[in-house]
Amino acid sequence: LLILATITSVFYKQKLKAKRIVLSQFVLVIIFTTIMLFSPGNEYRESVYENAHNFSHSFLSSLLQTVRFSAIWIASLPLIIATLFYYPLNKKLSEKVEIFSNSFYLNRFVSLLILFTLIFICVFPAYWATGILGQHRTLNIAYFFFIIMWFINLTVWLNHYNKISFVIQKRTKTFLGIFLLIGLIFTGNGYNSLVDIFSGSAKKYNTEIQARFKKLKSLSASKNMISLSPIEARPKTLFVSDITQDPKDWHNRAYSLYFRIDSSKIIVKDD
């Protein structure tokens, strides 16, 4: 919604072609966003969280998360190296492509504001609805747009300070390319994936989940209590959270709805 609002504003301000198409997309996004916000499922989900709709908590927590993830992402080795590689690419594109030469028609401070606002608006709804961040799917979306806006910002700022000039030597490019590859593999999700695979935790997690699924499926019509062991393998790239001892917990409710079992009959006990 934020991106399309910005694009629509730019198209009309600069009187660019296809502005009506962009406007129609913006209107559609407003309609579908409204449908999403007023979906009845939201009210049910929010009702199980005590700290929902706490504005001060949501706002301050979102600000802190914005600072946190901005620092983590900007300090990542792959992004730093990719930024160095982007300088000569931007120079060539700014000479040949109109949108690059015009810095995407963005003021450099507006561009910078959008970069960090993206994180905030992806985090705030989660805090507002539940009082916690809960999961990082929203951050995955934020990161996708953050990467795009990062390089757009580089174009905007590099074009503004066009007197800055440096050349990366061929040998240096080779070393940077190697470090970029290493960084992508051995940091963040790349590293976590390797650990999950080679430690065997991903395979063990899959085995435990399948065993639990078969047990619940076979006992779905049972009137007896169903005892489940907690998930032991917790690979970072797969595991989020487990059901609890509380039958009213939304994880337990999700199990009971899917397998058509009374959630009060599902218990988790430590071995």
Side-chain angles (χ1 to χ4, degrees), residues 2 15 22 80 85 103 109 143 169 216 249 260 262 270:
L2 173 67
K15 298 180 180 179
V22 173
I80 292 171
F85 279 137
S103 301
F109 296 109
Y143 189 54
Q169 299 298 326
L216 287 168
D249 185 273
R260 297 180 181 179
D262 184 351
D270 296 320

Side-chain angles (χ1 to χ4, degrees), residues 43-86:
E43 186 178 351
Y44 173 79
R45 185 188 182 202
E46 291 167 9
S47 66
V48 301
Y49 292 94
E50 295 180 0
N51 208 21
H53 295 177
N54 185 331
F55 180 79
S56 59
H57 170 74
S58 302
F59 184 80
L60 291 173
S61 297
S62 299
L63 280 180
L64 290 173
Q65 294 289 11
T66 300
V67 173
R68 173 194 173 191
F69 283 99
S70 297
I72 292 172
W73 296 342
I74 293 172
S76 69
L77 179 65
L79 186 60
I80 292 171
I81 295 174
T83 298
L84 293 173
F85 279 137
Y86 186 75

Side-chain angles (χ1 to χ4, degrees), residues 152-167:
I152 288 175
N153 265 274
L154 286 178
T155 293
V156 173
W157 286 86
L158 287 172
N159 287 355
H160 180 76
Y161 295 102
N162 54 16
K163 292 181 180 180
I164 298 174
S165 180
F166 66 90
V167 178

